[in-house]
Amino acid sequence: MAALRNQPSPGPEPDARKRAMGLLAKATRAELEKAWGALEAKPAVAPVRGPETGLVMVRGRIGGGGAPFNLGEVTATRASVRLESGVVGHGQTLGADGEKAQLAAVFDALLQGSEHDAAVRRLLDEVSARIEADDAKKARQTAATRVDFFTMVRGDD
């Protein structure tokens, strides 16, 4: 058992996989379907779990630094798949789109191998670029509504 713990794990580093799974969760179904359709050699995929839809408790903090509180529940869907190579991938997404969760799981599994590395990296770059563009657009829209308040001294003592 100890020998297994000391062996390096195949696939990307944990932080890189964490980032990739976050991007896959934020990808649109259309982006995932386009990337799947663009794969030349599609591996055989077998479901391991799901897709399963349930509720997840969302926690918040008042003012970003206050005491945590339960904000409410959101619908989330998860799925796990096994590729013909034996690699298992996991996917999750907000909402009840099981197909999207399965596609995210497939790309998570593909990320752990090297055969489709370029296609997965291209998908992750496209999703990341879209998210950055959306964030920049929201920042511009927010900045346009910014109001600067100032106080003038009246001189009455």
Side-chain angles (χ1 to χ4, degrees), residues 36-42 116:
W36 177 250
L39 287 179
E40 293 177 15
K42 293 178 180 57
H116 300 285

Side-chain angles (χ1 to χ4, degrees), residues 36 39 41-51 79-91 98-99 101-110 116:
W36 177 250
L39 287 179
K42 293 178 180 57
V45 178
V48 173
R49 177 189 306 150
S80 297
V81 298
R82 177 177 287 116
L83 300 182
E84 59 191 345
S85 64
V87 176
V88 175
H90 308 282
E99 182 67 26
Q102 281 188 312
L103 284 169
V106 169
F107 283 103
D108 175 51
L110 291 175
H116 300 285

Side-chain angles (χ1 to χ4, degrees), residues 19-127:
R19 178 186 174 277
M21 289 183 79
L23 288 172
L24 290 171
K26 293 175 184 174
T28 64
R29 184 173 175 177
E31 289 170 330
L32 294 170
E33 287 175 341
K34 178 183 170 191
W36 177 250
L39 287 179
E40 293 177 15
K42 293 178 180 57
V45 178
V48 173
R49 177 189 306 150
E52 301 169 326
T53 301
L55 296 173
V56 177
M57 180 59 68
V58 178
R59 298 194 39 104
R61 289 183 182 270
I62 295 175
F69 65 96
N70 290 338
L71 181 64
E73 295 176 331
V74 295
T75 305
T77 303
R78 69 179 180 177
S80 297
V81 298
R82 177 177 287 116
L83 300 182
E84 59 191 345
S85 64
V87 176
V88 175
H90 308 282
Q92 52 274 329
T93 185
L94 290 176
D97 191 345
E99 182 67 26
K100 179 182 169 187
Q102 281 188 312
L103 284 169
V106 169
F107 283 103
D108 175 51
L110 291 175
L111 179 68
Q112 298 175 60
S114 59
E115 182 180 345
H116 300 285
D117 193 50
V120 176
R121 298 287 174 201
R122 187 170 38 257
L123 168 64
L124 295 177
D125 289 344
E126 289 173 7
V127 172

Side-chain angles (χ1 to χ4, degrees), residues 6-19:
N6 294 333
Q7 293 179 357
S9 61
E13 292 296 320
D15 288 341
R17 186 170 179 207
K18 180 179 175 181
R19 178 186 174 277

